[in-house]
Amino acid sequence: MSLRNLSRILPLETVVKTSSHLRFYAKAAPITGGLSALGGKKKLGKGGPTLEKKVVPVESDPNKLVNFVCGSCLTQTGEDEKLKSDEEYPDWLWNMRTGKPLPLNELEYDSQEYWKRVTHLGRKQNVQLRRTRKF
């Protein structure tokens, strides 16, 4: 069937000619309102029914952001944890390293962290070598 015959049957934007092949593209269905837009209805996927993502509103109250850990309550009926004073938290919390990891030459040779990093870097290098290999 030629492109001219198909354009008589189907709208032209659904038929695209690439080299010697004809491809048919379906148009996206318009999104309708209702409960499905809020994540209420289930969709049937390959592995069974799946729920749509729910959009959680962002907290904008500055008083609540300063005094509570927003998002710490996993149940719908509970409340977020209230922040305590600094003296009530353990000392190691304030000495924790939160920046970039130490370079390899600054780690101790006998430490477990050193050998984990060496193993990781070796695997990363092998993956890069495999990608550049020509067949």
Side-chain angles (χ1 to χ4, degrees):
M1 191 175 274
S2 70
L3 183 64
R4 183 176 293 157
N5 293 340
L6 282 176
S7 64
R8 291 179 188 157
I9 300 169
L10 299 170
L12 190 57
E13 59 267 6
T14 60
V15 180
V16 176
K17 185 174 181 180
T18 58
S19 66
S20 63
H21 302 289
L22 294 176
R23 295 187 181 174
F24 298 90
Y25 295 102
K27 288 186 177 180
I31 298 173
T32 58
L35 291 177
S36 62
L38 298 175
K41 287 191 176 180
K42 294 182 180 181
K43 289 183 177 179
L44 288 177
K46 226 177 192 182
T50 57
L51 288 175
E52 293 181 8
K53 283 188 176 181
K54 293 183 181 180
V55 178
V56 180
V58 178
E59 186 62 51
S60 59
D61 181 21
N63 188 27
K64 190 169 183 180
L65 288 170
V66 170
N67 295 325
F68 292 92
V69 181
C70 296
S72 63
C73 182
L74 300 177
T75 61
Q76 293 179 353
T77 57
E79 294 182 3
D80 291 329
E81 288 288 322
K82 186 165 176 58
L83 289 174
K84 302 173 186 172
S85 64
D86 291 350
E87 293 80 28
E88 294 185 38
Y89 292 104
D91 294 332
W92 59 264
L93 183 65
W94 310 114
N95 298 328
M96 251 172 62
R97 185 174 177 82
T98 57
K100 291 184 176 180
L102 287 173
L104 194 61
N105 58 1
E106 291 184 16
L107 293 174
E108 293 182 22
Y109 181 76
D110 294 334
S111 68
Q112 187 177 8
E113 186 180 355
Y114 175 85
W115 288 105
K116 278 186 176 182
R117 182 90 57 83
V118 167
T119 306
H120 175 72
L121 290 174
R123 287 182 183 154
K124 190 174 180 179
Q125 184 180 11
N126 284 339
V127 168
Q128 288 177 349
L129 287 173
R130 270 191 243 129
R131 287 182 182 168
T132 58
R133 204 180 285 167
K134 294 183 179 179
F135 294 102

